[in-house]
Amino acid sequence: QAQLLESGGGLVQAGGSLTLSCATSVTVYSTDTMSWYRQTPGNERELVATVTNGDFTRYADSVKGRFTISSFNGKNTAYLRMNSLKPEDTAVYYCNVYSSYDQRLYWGQGTQVTVSA
């Protein structure tokens, strides 16, 4: 059974928007760190955005001002809102969370985002 499950990926034109969801069955506290990564073929997974303590956020320079991360905040779903999408945002997007409850790092299986020019 998947413990983190991403959804919301798809095909969108440049300039468009998508919201990715990360649903979890893991015990996550509001202070736990939750992140989104992305990966393209032949490249390493790169950090896109992270949120800690519910509201401390960091973003990759390439997505600042366009993407917004939200944490679980006591709920079982977190989000990544992506605006003004560019073809270079095309990748498989993964969420992960460090659960302080059982001191484990969890990864989802990924969701494909494709941005056409």
Side-chain angles (χ1 to χ4, degrees):
Q1 181 178 358
Q3 293 165 314
L4 285 180
L5 184 64
E6 301 95 336
S7 62
L11 174 64
V12 63
Q13 288 187 332
S17 299
L18 283 174
T19 297
L20 304 183
S21 300
C22 177
T24 183
S25 59
V26 174
T27 298
V28 178
Y29 297 131
S30 59
T31 52
D32 286 340
T33 297
M34 184 269 172
S35 303
W36 287 91
Y37 285 74
R38 65 188 181 187
Q39 188 172 25
T40 53
N43 293 306
E44 293 186 355
R45 203 167 287 189
E46 66 167 346
L47 179 64
V48 174
T50 191
V51 57
T52 304
N53 286 334
D55 58 5
F56 182 75
T57 57
R58 289 186 294 123
Y59 297 90
D61 288 343
S62 58
V63 307
K64 279 181 182 176
R66 300 188 298 122
F67 290 12
T68 303
I69 188 173
S70 63
S71 65
F72 293 100
N73 275 336
K75 302 177 182 177
N76 67 351
T77 306
Y79 302 93
L80 181 69
R81 174 67 177 176
M82 306 185 297
N83 295 326
S84 302
L85 283 162
K86 305 174 180 180
E88 51 264 43
D89 294 319
T90 295
V92 177
Y93 284 72
Y94 300 87
C95 64
N96 83 1
V97 64
Y98 177 78
S99 168
S100 57
Y101 173 77
D102 58 9
Q103 298 182 8
R104 284 186 57 186
L105 181 67
Y106 293 90
W107 285 92
Q109 86 295 340
T111 185
Q112 175 71 47
V113 171
T114 303
V115 185
S116 63

